Amino acid sequence: DAGITQSPRHKVTETGTPVTLRCHQTENHRYMYWYRQDPGHGLRLIHYSYGVKDTDKGEVSDGYSVSRSKTEDFLLTLESATSSQTSVYFCAISESTGNQPNYGYTFGSGTRLTVV
Amino acid sequence: DQQVKQNSPSLSVQEGRISILNCDYTNSMFDYFLWYKKYPAEGPTFLISISSIKDKNEDGRFTVFLNKSAKHLSLHIVPSQPGDSAVYFCAAGGGKFYFGSGTKLNVKP
């Protein structure tokens, strides 16, 4: 296994509260990604990181922020959780080839978040 | 708008027969294409890939075909086995990848 863990695995939170999800890797991969999976939409990219303190927005970044202060950790924060953010969140990592990420992500097991 | 589409939400095939999963994309600049398999309560796992310079890649029972002019790729599984029952996602891009909505494959014994 690639050594990627997500925490927590499950969380229920109330509307309006901040929530932070953690992705931790032991592979020293440069690139890290946060996706959400919803029925009918597949996997949609929220934010990604191409190095420590280097992050960028994905397709569905509104309402989310990220931080990467260490190579091994990539945090996803829902600033004020809404019911539309109820989803399964997946973290992924990839190594790089030169300055470009290699294809073939490795995914974590996911975090199921319910906002009530 | 979705850049990668899987228009069949589900597919059911008999064990031993061929499974064909389809995927369409919109951006002609995409240069890598991937297939992932996902079981319930697990993360997606990488299955097979193809680069834009090829039109076919084979790995055991799995073959991916790429038709760049049609912006279409397909995954063939021959012979299909009950353990292949899962959700299959295609992805396209290069660096960042865009995923389709998935096709749930059911292989009946």
Side-chain angles (χ1 to χ4, degrees):
Chain A
D1 284 353
I4 174 172
T5 55
Q6 293 183 232
S7 60
R9 289 298 309 275
H10 302 273
K11 185 169 182 69
V12 179
T13 193
E14 293 187 349
T15 298
T17 61
V19 177
T20 296
L21 309 182
R22 181 183 184 230
C23 178
H24 178 78
Q25 60 143 331
T26 57
E27 299 299 306
N28 201 37
H29 284 352
R30 178 179 174 187
Y31 294 87
M32 299 185 75
Y33 310 82
W34 277 108
Y35 282 85
R36 59 179 288 176
Q37 184 195 3
D38 303 290
H41 292 280
L43 294 157
R44 292 181 292 175
L45 181 64
I46 305 171
H47 281 280
Y48 65 102
S49 169
Y50 43 96
V52 173
K53 297 187 179 178
D54 289 326
T55 64
D56 206 348
K57 296 179 179 180
E59 305 168 77
V60 289
S61 59
D62 287 348
Y64 301 95
S65 62
V66 290
S67 66
R68 192 164 177 205
S69 58
K70 298 184 289 185
T71 298
E72 57 266 34
D73 289 324
F74 192 32
L75 304 180
L76 176 71
T77 297
L78 287 65
E79 292 139 8
S80 177
T82 67
S83 58
S84 65
Q85 294 176 311
T86 293
S87 186
V88 181
Y89 291 85
F90 288 100
C91 176
I93 60 175
S94 67
E95 57 188 353
S96 62
T97 301
N99 289 322
Q100 294 297 319
N102 198 351
Y103 60 90
Y105 299 170
T106 301
F107 282 87
S109 300
T111 294
R112 182 174 293 277
L113 177 69
T114 303
V115 183
V116 298
Chain B
D1 285 343
Q2 281 188 295
Q3 300 204 46
V4 178
K5 293 183 180 180
Q6 294 176 257
N7 292 318
S8 298
S10 63
L11 175 68
S12 185
V13 300
Q14 205 68 37
E15 180 179 6
R17 305 295 292 271
I18 184 171
S19 295
I20 300 176
L21 295 88
N22 294 301
C23 179
D24 298 296
Y25 62 96
T26 58
N27 191 335
S28 59
M29 298 301 290
F30 289 154
D31 53 6
Y32 281 118
F33 305 88
L34 317 171
W35 284 94
Y36 280 80
K37 178 179 180 179
K38 186 183 180 303
Y39 293 116
E42 295 182 10
T45 55
F46 174 73
L47 191 58
I48 193 169
S49 66
I50 189 168
S51 74
S52 59
I53 62 173
K54 296 185 176 182
D55 54 19
K56 177 182 175 181
N57 188 27
E58 193 170 353
D59 183 2
R61 296 185 297 114
F62 302 91
T63 303
V64 57
F65 295 92
L66 176 63
N67 182 334
K68 290 188 291 294
S69 61
K71 297 192 185 69
H72 178 84
L73 66 154
S74 61
L75 174 68
H76 292 209
I77 306 174
V78 183
S80 301
Q81 300 173 354
D84 296 329
S85 297
V87 176
Y88 289 79
F89 291 99
C90 66
K96 288 187 299 183
F97 282 89
Y98 299 89
F99 285 76
S101 54
T103 296
K104 185 175 184 178
L105 174 65
N106 180 34
V107 181
K108 296 177 287 186

